[in-house]
């Protein structure tokens, strides 16, 4: 699904949307360093489970700082280049035509000093879950500013068309130090809407719109 975002090459006056470079590793952890090297991916790398089955482990992220530590990862997984983003991500819920955005705490930024002094794999359970809400936190305005609405509307419209989905959410980050460079780092179809503020009204309106649409078609 992230490939759809990459293929869009979405860029306008409100910003640019891309995806971090990534690799799918299905087996053989010992080969990961060579595969990463050949692909030209830059450390550190975020490791995500390939299969999301609802378990606690399926929501666990790992951050690998060096080539040697890559062998400690457990395939199958997705490796994604880490992009500094101020420790905050935007969870964008799409329900039909409606869009709702919330802020969540995310992985902390990695400095050059961190890369030179740190090694190994650091694990982060339940990153960006509802308990990690950053909506009421005292954040740097440059970090807290939501992505422009017109940019999100264009992105959501294209994804609805290409993926054939009406119920999904996106995890979006803004590259730290920029105002208009965004990355989609994850897409989930039919996510848990109970975590979305005002989900009752938004979801009810969505179901009513579907019913009204079908009624109009029958009337015609």
């Amino acid at each position: 699904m992230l490939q759809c975002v990459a293929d869009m090459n979405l860029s306008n006056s409100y910003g640019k949307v891309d995806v971090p470079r990534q690799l799918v590793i299905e087996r053989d952890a010992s080969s990961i360093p060579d595969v990463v090297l050949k692909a030209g991916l830059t450390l550190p790398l975020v490791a995500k489970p390939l299969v999301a089955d609802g378990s606690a482990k399926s929501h666990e992220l790992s951050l690998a700082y060096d080539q040697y530590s890559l062998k400690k990862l457990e395939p199958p997984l997705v490796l994604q280049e880490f992009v500094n983003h101020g420790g905050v991500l935007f969870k964008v819920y799409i329900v039909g035509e409606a869009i709702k955005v919330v802020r969540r705490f995310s992985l902390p930024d990695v400095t050059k000093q961190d890369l030179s002094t740190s090694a190994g794999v650091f694990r982060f359970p339940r990153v960006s879950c509802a308990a990690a809400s950053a909506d009421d936190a005292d954040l740097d305005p440059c970090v807290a500013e939501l992505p422009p609405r017109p940019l999100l509307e264009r992105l959501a419209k294209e994804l609805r068309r290409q993926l054939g989905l009406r119920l999904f959410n996106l995890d979006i980050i803004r590259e730290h130090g920029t105002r208009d460079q965004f990355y989609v780092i994850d897409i989930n179809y039919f996510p848990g809407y109970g975590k979305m503020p005002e989900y009752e009204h938004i979801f009810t309106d969505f179901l009513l719109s579907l019913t009204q649409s079908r009624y109009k078609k029958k009337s015609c």
Side-chain angles (χ1 to χ4, degrees):
M1 290 190 286
L2 287 177
Q3 189 58 45
C4 290
V5 179
D7 292 341
M8 279 181 209
N9 194 27
L10 178 54
S11 179
N12 58 28
S13 59
Y14 295 101
K16 181 178 181 180
V17 180
D18 208 337
V19 298
R21 292 191 299 172
Q22 60 181 19
L23 279 175
V24 174
I25 306 293
E26 296 187 0
R27 59 180 68 87
D28 189 12
S30 63
S31 68
I32 296 178
D34 289 336
V35 174
V36 166
L37 191 62
K38 289 178 181 178
L41 265 62
T42 303
L43 292 164
L45 295 175
V46 179
K48 305 178 181 183
L50 189 59
V51 179
D53 57 8
S55 65
K57 192 172 182 62
S58 71
H59 291 281
E60 183 179 87
L61 298 183
S62 300
L63 194 59
Y65 276 80
D66 61 282
Q67 289 282 344
Y68 177 76
S69 66
L70 294 173
K71 296 180 180 180
K72 300 178 182 179
L73 299 173
E74 300 175 16
L77 50 81
V78 176
L79 291 176
Q80 194 175 79
E81 286 188 332
F82 180 75
V83 178
N84 281 336
H85 52 284
V88 172
L89 65 77
F90 306 101
K91 195 165 282 287
V92 182
Y93 291 93
I94 289 95
V95 185
E97 301 291 326
I99 298 174
K100 187 74 175 179
V101 187
V102 296
R103 300 178 187 87
R104 296 281 171 82
F105 286 113
S106 179
L107 301 181
D109 285 351
V110 177
T111 65
K112 291 182 179 180
Q113 183 178 358
D114 291 333
L115 282 175
S116 63
T117 59
S118 301
V121 175
F122 295 81
R123 303 189 187 281
F124 299 85
R126 303 295 297 179
V127 173
S128 81
C129 65
S133 174
D135 280 326
D136 297 324
D138 184 16
L139 299 171
D140 180 341
C142 294
V143 172
E145 183 182 4
L146 297 179
R149 189 78 182 185
L151 188 68
L152 294 180
E153 290 173 348
R154 171 81 182 280
L155 177 61
K157 180 180 179 180
E158 288 297 319
L159 286 175
R160 280 195 299 266
R161 183 180 65 83
Q162 293 193 33
L163 299 176
L165 297 174
R166 292 189 175 187
L167 300 172
F168 59 101
N169 75 3
L170 318 169
D171 287 347
I172 296 180
I173 59 175
R174 174 190 288 110
E175 185 172 3
H176 195 46
T178 75
R179 188 176 183 183
D180 58 1
Q181 175 63 65
F182 298 93
Y183 290 90
V184 177
I185 58 173
D186 206 1
I187 300 178
N188 302 292
Y189 57 88
F190 203 73
Y193 283 103
K195 307 167 189 175
M196 180 181 73
E198 304 173 358
Y199 78 92
E200 301 98 330
H201 302 295
I202 294 174
F203 211 81
T204 300
D205 289 344
F206 168 66
L207 295 176
L208 283 173
S209 69
L210 289 180
T211 303
Q212 292 168 353
S213 176
R214 290 182 179 181
Y215 179 78
K216 288 179 180 178
K217 287 181 179 179
K218 287 183 179 180
S219 301
C220 294

